[in-house]
Amino acid sequence: MDSAAYTSRLAEELAPGILDRLTRYVRIDTQSRRDRTSSPSTPGQLELARLLAEELHTVGLIDAEVDDNGYVMATLPASPRPPADGVAIGLIAHMDTSPDAPGAGVEPLVHRSYDGGVIRLPRGGTALDPARMPELADKAGHDIITASGDTLLGADDKAGVAEVMSAVAHLAAHPELPHPALRVAFTPDEEIGLGAALFDLDRFGAACAYTLDGSSLGELQDESFSALEAILTIHGVDVHPGQATGKLVSALRLAARIVASLPEDLTPERTAGRDGFIHPFELNATAGQARIRAILRDFDEDGLRAHAELLERTARAIVDSAPGARLELDLHRQYSNMRGYLERVPEVVAAAEEAIRAEGIEPMRNPIRGGTDGSLLSEMGLPTPNVFTGGHEYHSVREWASLQEMAAAAAVAIRLAEVWSRPKYAEVARSRLTPLRSGIASS
Ligand SMILES: [Zn+2]
């Protein structure tokens, strides 16, 4: 193995455990399902949840359990030195995988000491071409993990789960390493936007937390999209086509016109950086009735409102032009930009920056073009920025992860625990975070 690719001795030491865990976890199908009727949305998540609770117990955490909604929580008590102050820091990752790519029957493959060329996977004609994947291009020498070509890998977010598990297992086995009490949570249904919905903040009891659910080495995200979902239902007038002259009003054709009328430069594929978008992602239609589901995203609230107004104006103009047709619009909030909440206690992000630097990596602060459990958790009163995991090309059959980057992420989690044991940070946790939590909870 090429140890030069590791960011530290610690990372290299953690790597075998992380690889073992990731390759075990991804074989369990934990794909979540939209429009759930219970939590978690799918039984596979509960299977993984039970396995993780058992494993947390085995590696030495106390009170590991799965709650009624499928959330796994456990505690690693504070190290003997420095003396415990009663404040806990949280580490969070999500157990489910995206419904947007096949998630059953994942067969992970390990490409040891990657040679920098095209990786051809055995199924589905899938290839990972570094010419089209700049992030893969500079990973020569890394150990790359992929699926087999016809499923996603599930590194989103089982890389994060494996890293958190490996980090707390390491700390449990090394009582000489200083850290405050750590609370671990593995959440269900993050990919359908509900990972934080039934998260029991009081039971978790941490002053602040970190999701390990990012991507590239060094990423530290304290800003996410603000997010709305729009469901447009168009009622047409359905008549047998033979008798339709002058009577039929096709909801399907109206829906198609609405989608086609939205600006092409306001799509996820045409925007980048800090630009928002309107993304119709599902269309079910017959002549009688059509339903368009779309997500609206922007980093600022004015931008988001403008997208919502544009969508409504466009849909109304088209539906109103067809006598007899009717539009129903359901617009609801999914999550808000976490930045405003994190800025109140800048030490939460600063501690993560220190930990990333301590691992010899330059932190990359960039906004998430998406949301994490942390978007809602921060809003609910638990400041929760997002840290990289080393996984890439999420939600696709080309998903891959670098073992060296995953090991770096786990090492960062261990260093983060040390940072929070320093007097300056322990004081911030005691005096500013815990009151902030209860202040929000009681208001
Ligand atoms: Zn994720």
Side-chain angles (χ1 to χ4, degrees):
M1 200 185 302
D2 179 9
S3 68
Y6 283 102
T7 44
S8 68
R9 293 276 300 276
L10 174 61
E12 188 168 7
E13 185 183 337
L14 294 166
I18 293 171
L19 182 61
D20 166 68
R21 291 187 168 106
L22 178 74
T23 52
R24 280 191 291 119
Y25 302 160
V26 298
R27 289 173 191 275
I28 301 172
D29 175 10
T30 60
Q31 191 172 49
S32 47
R33 195 175 57 218
R34 291 192 182 90
D35 303 318
R36 75 178 183 186
T37 51
S38 61
S39 176
S41 61
T42 50
Q45 296 183 65
L46 218 46
E47 186 187 338
L48 179 60
R50 293 195 184 108
L51 181 147
L52 293 173
E54 183 65 42
E55 197 167 327
L56 285 163
H57 177 75
T58 306
V59 302
L61 274 71
I62 58 169
D63 64 21
E65 58 178 7
V66 184
D67 76 8
D68 293 342
N69 296 309
Y71 289 71
V72 182
M73 289 187 188
T75 307
L76 180 68
S79 56
R81 244 174 274 272
D85 57 17
V87 175
I89 302 302
L91 295 172
I92 301 173
H94 68 88
M95 297 179 287
D96 65 315
T97 59
S98 169
D100 295 333
V106 175
E107 288 284 344
L109 298 173
V110 183
H111 311 264
R112 289 279 179 193
S113 216
Y114 170 53
D115 65 4
V118 176
I119 300 178
R120 293 187 196 286
L121 302 181
R123 297 189 211 136
T126 303
L128 279 65
D129 184 351
R132 292 199 201 130
M133 298 179 178
E135 300 236 58
L136 182 60
D138 62 8
K139 298 297 180 294
H142 286 224
D143 301 314
I144 303 296
I145 302 128
T146 65
S148 291
D150 55 354
T151 66
L152 46 68
L153 171 62
D156 179 9
D157 185 24
K158 288 164 186 168
V161 174
E163 291 155 11
V164 170
M165 184 69 82
S166 300
V168 293
H170 183 86
L171 287 169
H174 292 273
E176 75 281 8
L177 297 175
H179 61 85
L182 297 177
R183 282 288 277 161
V184 170
F186 297 129
T187 60
D189 289 342
E190 190 271 354
E191 296 288 0
I192 57 169
L194 295 171
L198 297 169
F199 192 104
D200 187 339
L201 277 188
D202 289 327
R203 181 172 161 240
F204 193 54
C208 67
Y210 300 85
T211 48
L212 275 77
D213 192 19
S215 181
S216 304
L217 187 78
E219 254 177 11
L220 172 58
Q221 299 166 319
D222 61 349
E223 190 168 7
S224 62
F225 272 144
S226 282
L228 296 173
E229 183 182 27
I231 301 176
L232 297 91
T233 308
I234 300 128
H235 302 274
V237 179
D238 198 7
V239 182
H240 185 286
Q243 284 99 45
T245 313
K247 295 179 194 151
L248 176 77
V249 180
S250 168
L252 183 153
R253 293 177 66 84
L254 292 172
R257 278 176 59 197
I258 292 170
V259 173
S261 299
L262 294 169
E264 282 183 26
D265 58 2
L266 213 59
T267 56
E269 61 270 36
R270 295 275 190 90
T271 50
R274 301 190 58 87
D275 299 326
F277 56 72
I278 300 174
H279 177 45
F281 67 92
E282 193 180 296
L283 172 60
N284 285 297
T286 62
Q289 186 175 318
R291 193 176 73 154
I292 302 168
R293 291 179 72 162
I295 54 171
L296 287 64
R297 299 288 187 261
D298 211 285
F299 287 100
D300 78 57
E301 289 295 325
D302 290 343
L304 190 63
R305 207 172 303 120
H307 301 328
E309 284 165 10
L310 174 63
L311 178 64
E312 177 164 13
R313 207 163 55 236
T314 304
R316 289 227 179 274
I318 289 167
V319 174
D320 289 351
S321 73
R326 189 163 57 81
L327 174 72
E328 274 174 64
L329 175 62
D330 166 22
L331 201 61
H332 56 266
R333 170 74 55 169
Q334 292 180 301
Y335 53 86
S336 302
N337 190 338
M338 62 169 87
R339 183 181 189 152
Y341 304 101
L342 291 175
E343 276 175 343
R344 296 177 194 175
V345 190
E347 287 85 356
V348 175
V349 171
E353 283 195 310
E354 288 204 34
I356 292 170
R357 287 213 173 86
E359 184 57 23
I361 305 163
E362 186 52 29
M364 285 199 302
R365 292 274 292 274
N366 54 4
I368 317 170
R369 290 181 63 78
T372 63
D373 281 339
S375 306
L376 262 180
L377 292 174
S378 297
E379 190 172 0
M380 287 157 67
L382 180 71
T384 307
N386 188 36
V387 175
F388 71 95
T389 61
H392 301 268
E393 298 278 326
Y394 284 169
H395 304 191
S396 83
V397 294
R398 296 172 306 281
E399 188 182 5
W400 59 276
S402 152
L403 180 58
Q404 282 72 11
E405 291 186 350
M406 290 176 60
V412 165
I414 290 168
R415 298 186 192 283
L416 187 55
E418 184 275 321
V419 171
W420 277 104
S421 74
R422 296 179 195 168
K424 171 189 156 190
Y425 283 96
E427 175 55 28
V428 167
R430 235 183 343 260
S431 64
R432 303 205 25 225
L433 282 167
T434 313
L436 177 70
R437 266 278 325 272
S438 50
I440 285 177
S442 63
S443 65

